Amino acid sequence: TYELSRLAEFYDVTGIDIALDESFGDGDSLDTLVQAKSRYLIIKASRFNNVFYLINLCKEALALGISPIFSPCFESRFYASLMAKLIGTLKISKEHHGIYEAIFLETP
């Protein structure tokens, strides 16, 4: 659904956590996620041209109780390594980063 009130209503009725991706809105705020009662923000890092914006977005999401989840889908090794670094630096839970979690968390 594209109706945020319906997502919030779905959460209220079911208690099932909601995840939205970075295309959720204008990109300047997380108000849309808050309105939809989203618990997760799915991020494909290659969609962001500014790593500092991405870092600030993740910090803002965490402050609102929204967990960033990095999606490795179609990402290069460069972006996978960037996401791994952000997961560690921002102390983001390492449990939710898609089926290719090992890409992010492997050690040399």
Side-chain angles (χ1 to χ4, degrees):
T1 181
Y2 289 100
E3 298 176 54
L4 297 177
S5 62
R6 298 299 310 253
L7 289 174
E9 179 183 326
F10 175 80
Y11 175 79
D12 289 341
V13 170
T14 66
I16 296 173
D17 292 332
I18 295 169
L20 297 175
D21 70 12
E22 73 278 347
S23 64
F24 63 87
D26 61 14
D28 291 329
S29 94
L30 295 173
D31 292 342
T32 304
L33 273 80
V34 171
Q35 184 181 357
K37 296 187 178 181
S38 179
R39 275 237 21 239
Y40 302 99
L41 168 60
I42 310 299
I43 297 173
K44 291 169 281 311
S46 61
R47 293 200 49 181
F48 294 86
N49 293 324
N50 183 330
V51 70
F52 300 106
Y53 174 79
L54 176 58
I55 291 168
N56 287 332
L57 181 69
C58 290
K59 286 181 176 180
E60 182 183 348
L62 289 166
L64 292 169
I66 299 170
S67 298
I69 299 176
F70 290 97
S71 170
C73 196
F74 306 115
E75 297 289 9
S76 68
R77 302 267 318 150
F78 169 79
Y79 280 107
S81 64
L82 171 64
M83 290 183 279
K85 187 69 172 170
L86 289 176
I87 290 167
T89 301
L90 297 173
K91 297 179 176 50
I92 298 171
S93 171
K94 296 179 181 178
E95 301 169 352
H96 307 296
H97 299 283
I99 60 174
Y100 300 109
E101 179 178 326
I103 292 172
F104 297 138
L105 306 176
E106 68 186 22
T107 54

